[in-house]
Amino acid sequence: MTREPAELFKAACGGDRRATGRLLSLVERGGADGDLVAQIAWPKTGGAHVVGVTGAPGVGKSTLVDRMAAAAIAEGGRVAILAVDPSSPLTGGAILGDRVRMNSALGAPAGKSPFIRSMASRGQSGGLALAALGAVRVLDAVGHDPIIVETVGTGQVEVDVVNAADTVVVAVSPGWGDAVQANKAGLLELADVFAVNKSDRPGAADARRDLELMLDLGDHPDWRPPIVETTATAGEGVEALWKHVCSHRLHLLETHSLEARRGGRAAEEVRRHLHNRIDGLIARPSEQVRQLIREVTEGLRPPSEAAQTILRSQPPGDSP
Ligand SMILES: Nc1nc2c(ncn2[C@@H]2O[C@H](COP(=O)(O)OP(=O)(O)OP(=O)(O)O)[C@@H](O)[C@H]2O)c(=O)[nH]1
Ligand SMILES: [Mg+2]
C-alpha cells in the first residue's frame, strides 16, 4: 500500500476518485486496514440519503439507477452508485450494468458524473452484505449524497443490502413474473416506492393494479408506497420516481423515523459482525480452539463449556 488510510480519506473527501476506490478495496478486504478505514469514516457518516434499488434480474434496475443518478446530479447531488451482485463472481449483471451506465454518464457535466463501484460475491454471503454496508459508509463519509445501491432481488443477502437503505425502490416490469419473484424473496414488503418499469410494454396498468391490490391488503398508517410507471430507457417517469424517493426521505425526517430505521439496522449490523467473527474462530481455529474442540470430541467437556471458554478468551480488536 502506498498511502495510509487517513491520507487516502483526505484525498477522497477532496474528490480524488482513485483514493475513494482504494478505500473501498480496503473495506472489502476487511482486516485491520478495513477496520481503520471504518473508524476514520464513522464520525462523518449519516448525512447521505441511501437509496436501495432492487428487483428481479433484467427488470431495468441499472437503467433506472442511471436515470435517477442523472436526476440527482441535476439537483446538485454528488452521486455514488454501488452495484452489489451476490450471484456473480466478478462477471455478469453488475458488470453489464456498468456498461449500460457508462453511456449515460458521458452526458453528465465534467466532474459531476457519478462515482460507480461494483461489488461481486466473494463466496462468503455474510461478508458481502457487511462489505456493502461498509462501502456505503465510506461513500457517505467522503461526501457522496445520494448513494444509490443496486442489487438483484433474489435472496437474503439482497434483502439485507436493501434493508440498509433509507428508501427502498422495488422495480417490477409488466407481467407477474417479476413481482412474484420479488414477493418470494420478501422484497415487496420492503418497498417504499414501486417502479413499474418497461411500461412501454403491454401490461403496465395491470401490474400497477396488482400492486395496488397487494398494498390494499397491508397496513400503511403513514406512508403508502407510491407506484410509478417508468420507461427507463427513454427516461420517462423517472423524474416522478425520483420525486417520490426524495419525498420519502422528507417523510422520514418529518416523522423522526430516520433515526428509528437506522437504529434498528445498527443492532443488526453489530450482530452480523459478531457472527462473522465467530464463524472466523471456527473456520480458522487457533491452537486453543483446536484443543478445546479435541477435548469436546474426547468427551472431556461439553460443547457449551468450550464455547463459553472461547468467548471469554477473545482478545479485543482481533479481526478475522
Ligand atoms: N423496453 C424497455 N426496455 C428496458 C427498459 N429499461 C431497461 N430496459 C432494457 O432491459 C435490459 C436490462 O436492463 P438493465 O438496466 O441492465 O436491467 P437490470 O435490472 O439492471 O439487470 P441485472 O442487473 O442484470 O439484473 C436492457 O436491455 C435495457 O435496455 C424499459 O423501460 N423498457
Ligand atoms: Mg443491473
Side-chain angles (χ1 to χ4, degrees):
M1 193 169 83
T2 49
R3 288 197 281 176
E4 292 298 320
E7 202 186 319
L8 284 171
F9 191 78
K10 216 168 133 197
C13 288
D16 179 341
R17 288 166 185 241
R18 286 195 56 190
T20 306
R22 295 274 308 128
L23 289 171
L24 295 181
S25 298
L26 292 176
V27 167
E28 240 179 310
R29 214 173 299 146
D33 278 337
D35 285 348
L36 182 56
V37 173
Q39 242 168 43
I40 297 169
W42 178 251
K44 299 202 159 192
T45 59
H49 184 196
V50 183
V51 180
V53 177
T54 192
V59 73
K61 297 177 295 297
S62 297
T63 318
L64 267 179
V65 165
D66 186 33
R67 295 284 185 172
M68 288 197 277
I73 289 167
E75 289 170 356
R78 204 179 142 205
V79 179
I81 297 172
L82 187 66
V84 183
D85 189 348
S87 63
S88 134
L90 280 178
T91 53
I95 305 295
L96 273 176
D98 285 355
R99 208 177 303 139
V100 169
R101 280 185 199 116
M102 271 186 268
N103 298 331
S104 157
L106 292 177
K112 295 279 173 102
S113 63
F115 177 91
I116 300 171
R117 176 82 169 202
S118 291
M119 282 177 120
S121 175
R122 294 164 305 153
Q124 192 192 9
S125 61
L128 180 61
L130 271 184
L133 299 184
V136 166
R137 221 164 258 139
V138 167
L139 291 168
D140 179 357
V142 304
H144 287 289
D145 182 18
I147 299 164
I148 309 179
V149 184
E150 172 191 344
T151 181
V152 183
T154 47
Q156 188 56 44
V157 179
E158 299 85 313
V159 171
D160 292 344
V161 170
V162 291
N163 214 7
D166 301 320
T167 300
V168 177
V169 176
V170 172
V172 301
S173 60
W176 255 113
D178 296 337
V180 169
Q181 207 173 332
N183 196 21
K184 250 195 255 164
L187 290 173
L188 293 187
E189 61 206 55
L190 293 182
D192 297 304
V193 180
F194 282 104
V196 177
N197 192 44
K198 305 196 182 179
S199 64
D200 52 324
R201 296 194 174 164
D206 293 341
R208 167 196 279 277
R209 200 200 46 232
D210 289 338
L211 287 173
E212 293 284 10
L213 286 173
M214 189 201 68
L215 287 174
D216 286 344
L217 296 175
D219 193 21
H220 316 280
D222 48 27
W223 178 270
R224 180 179 164 111
I227 302 168
V228 190
E229 285 171 38
T230 57
T231 303
T233 36
E236 275 161 28
V238 176
E239 222 167 278
L241 175 65
W242 186 248
K243 248 186 215 142
H244 282 297
V245 167
C246 296
S247 309
H248 180 255
R249 174 170 168 86
L250 268 184
H251 161 77
L252 289 177
L253 289 172
E254 281 167 8
T255 55
H256 303 286
S257 34
L258 189 61
E259 298 95 7
R261 247 188 198 225
R262 289 181 172 178
R265 295 195 315 244
E268 174 55 24
E269 209 175 335
V270 171
R271 190 194 65 76
R272 253 173 195 291
H273 274 285
L274 270 175
H275 201 119
N276 255 21
R277 271 166 203 237
I278 290 173
D279 275 353
L281 287 175
I282 299 300
R284 295 175 292 281
S286 64
E287 189 38 51
Q288 185 219 15
V289 171
R290 272 183 228 273
Q291 174 60 29
L292 281 164
I293 291 175
R294 265 197 300 272
E295 287 175 23
V296 172
T297 313
E298 287 162 14
L300 299 176
R301 40 164 117 221
S304 56
E305 190 192 305
Q308 274 278 13
T309 311
I310 293 170
L311 277 183
R312 273 210 206 96
S313 59
Q314 273 319 291
D318 183 18
S319 181

